[in-house]
Amino acid sequence: MTSPPAARPLQMLSTRGNQIVDASGRPVRLKAVSWFGAELPYKAPQGLWQEGYAGLLDRIRQWGFNCIRLPFASSITSDPPTGYIDPVRNPDLFLRSSLAVLDRIIDAAGERGLCVVLDLHIHQAGNERDGAPVAGRHTLRSLVGTWQFMARRYGSRPNVIGADVFNEPYAVKWPEWKRICETVGNAVHGNAPHWLIFVEGCDAAAGFWAGGNLTEAGANPVVLNQPRKLVYSPHEYGHSVHLMDWLQRSGHPVPAWPRSLFARFRSSWGYLFEQDIAPIWVGEFGGHFGMDGAGRPGRPHGGEERQWLQALASYLNGDFNGDGRRDLAPGKEGMSFAYWCLNPTSGDTGGLLQDDWTTAQAAKLEALAPLLRDGGNAVVDSTRGSD
């Protein structure tokens, strides 16, 4: 296995119009993959029972990603040591606390030029997801407290660049969600003023993917006390997760498919980027694309889902109407993204690794190639400058 390519040092990240930029004003494209598990009963990123964390990080870098989205649970601040780590493959992580495991993985990611976005995925580590960021005993105060703890712990880690406020808040309306994000974001900036704040969409009941509805953000934006630190982060999926009405498949034709998808991307969240309002980081997207966990074709809707991904990749790369031409001004990067996911254990989508946690899903990486090849600066903050 060859060494990962060296990353170009980067100072603080901020925003300018629809671009994420470094301290010198150069556009940066975040190309992330999610590595989940710390929000589940495992209490650590999955796969550490099968593979060494260093080798997994090397693969992520070699595939062309420059960032990792790390889900965690609010309970991580008090979770006991995890038992899902092989002592031979990962001796320095064995019998360590969830936070200590996260510490080492984050540091090792930085050594490889990989930045990290922390994603508050759930309140209590487990298999059930929360649709409301604030409900019952999980108050706004406790949500703020969790993020203040994480910002104090990781604010000095040079490759930790931001906070994904709460995963898929489908049971909350935009005005309340906007207020929550402003409160959390301002609290985070009290401890980590350089972090980007990633705000997902909300209110899936309106007929959107959970995390995918940002239709109100343009007219009623999130406003943070710290300027130029806001990134909107919709989630967008294809056939593997749910057969939405706008997704074509056998027996369900969609007029002008797949070009019809471009208008949907625009109206749900893409208009924020097209109109130069704010950057977009598609925080989750992915699928089986017809492949099973051993890399064999045969799962349903593979052809249509690959068409969906081709359309999404074109849109993220700057073709806003599907005519094959890039609509971005020269010097601008396309939209940032975080693929879901590395883990083969994701029932909805599978992962970029096969079930053995060793073999790459070559067909998926080939389908992602237009995104991984297209522009994007390597990112790691090794110098800690200021804006």
Side-chain angles (χ1 to χ4, degrees):
M1 184 175 288
T2 59
S3 298
R8 188 182 68 199
L10 181 79
Q11 295 180 326
M12 307 297 184
L13 294 178
S14 297
T15 69
R16 185 179 61 212
N18 64 7
Q19 298 287 289
I20 298 171
V21 297
D22 67 15
S24 299
R26 294 173 296 189
V28 169
R29 191 176 193 185
L30 300 177
K31 302 178 177 187
V33 61
S34 291
W35 183 9
F36 70 82
E39 81 286 13
L40 298 176
Y42 305 95
K43 299 181 176 65
Q46 285 187 342
L48 300 175
W49 59 78
Q50 183 71 25
E51 287 291 321
Y53 68 90
L56 291 170
L57 291 170
D58 285 344
R59 282 177 175 269
I60 290 170
R61 182 68 189 158
Q62 287 162 354
W63 288 336
F65 295 99
N66 59 22
C67 184
I68 301 173
R69 180 176 180 252
L70 279 179
F72 70 96
S74 299
S75 59
I76 197 172
T77 59
S78 58
D79 281 340
T82 176
Y84 292 89
I85 294 176
D86 183 88
V88 175
R89 294 180 174 90
N90 295 288
D92 53 339
L93 303 185
F94 186 61
L95 296 181
R96 303 294 300 276
S97 70
S98 297
L99 281 167
V101 171
L102 218 59
D103 290 346
R104 182 60 198 127
I105 287 176
I106 287 171
D107 288 346
E111 292 162 7
R112 289 157 174 79
L114 293 164
C115 60
V116 170
V117 174
L118 298 171
D119 156 44
L120 182 49
H121 212 76
I122 196 171
H123 287 303
Q124 185 67 40
N127 292 310
E128 299 296 325
R129 67 175 181 163
D130 302 304
V134 173
R137 65 186 179 89
H138 301 296
T139 64
L140 180 57
R141 181 178 180 179
S142 65
L143 182 68
V144 166
T146 295
W147 273 118
Q148 287 177 319
F149 176 92
M150 298 299 277
R152 285 193 296 268
R153 188 177 186 96
Y154 296 111
S156 61
R157 291 306 206 279
N159 63 316
V160 179
I161 62 167
D164 190 341
V165 175
F166 196 81
N167 185 65
E168 297 187 349
Y170 58 84
V172 63
K173 303 293 185 183
W174 180 258
E176 181 185 359
W177 175 230
K178 161 184 150 66
R179 178 180 64 87
I180 291 170
C181 290
E182 290 171 345
T183 303
V184 170
N186 290 333
V188 165
H189 284 153
N191 298 276
H194 54 292
W195 278 12
L196 298 174
I197 304 299
F198 296 87
V199 173
E200 299 183 20
C202 66
D203 189 15
F208 296 83
W209 294 111
N213 181 6
L214 284 165
T215 55
E216 296 183 52
N220 190 17
V222 171
V223 179
L224 301 171
N225 294 336
Q226 186 82 354
R228 300 176 56 219
K229 296 295 183 182
L230 172 68
V231 179
Y232 288 112
S233 180
H235 291 186
E236 188 71 36
Y237 280 105
H239 303 65
S240 293
V241 176
H242 187 72
L243 296 177
M244 294 291 202
D245 286 343
W246 59 84
L247 298 174
Q248 179 167 290
R249 63 269 188 190
S250 178
H252 183 80
V254 173
W257 172 270
R259 197 165 176 175
S260 56
L261 291 165
F262 290 79
R264 174 151 193 98
F265 299 151
R266 175 182 302 112
S267 62
S268 300
W269 44 267
Y271 73 96
L272 294 162
F273 189 92
E274 289 192 39
Q275 296 176 24
D276 208 31
I277 295 171
I280 288 288
W281 186 62
V282 177
E284 287 187 18
F285 72 105
H288 290 289
F289 307 108
M291 313 304 293
D292 69 9
R296 298 169 302 210
R299 294 187 68 99
H301 315 300
E304 294 93 344
E305 192 165 40
R306 284 191 293 273
Q307 290 177 321
W308 164 82
L309 178 58
Q310 289 167 359
L312 179 62
S314 295
Y315 189 71
L316 297 183
N317 281 343
D319 177 2
F320 298 145
N321 56 18
D323 65 359
R325 293 192 293 269
R326 184 179 173 96
D327 299 308
L328 278 174
K332 285 200 169 188
E333 292 280 4
M335 298 177 223
S336 295
F337 57 86
Y339 183 80
W340 185 273
C341 54
L342 176 69
N343 312 45
T345 49
S346 172
D348 285 340
T349 65
L352 292 181
L353 289 171
Q354 295 183 19
D355 291 342
D356 61 7
W357 278 96
T358 301
T359 310
Q361 286 276 17
K364 290 188 179 184
L365 288 168
E366 182 180 354
L368 285 171
L371 285 171
L372 295 173
R373 284 196 307 258
D374 187 82
N377 295 323
V379 295
V380 62
D381 175 358
S382 62
T383 52
R384 293 301 305 275
S386 59
D387 292 337

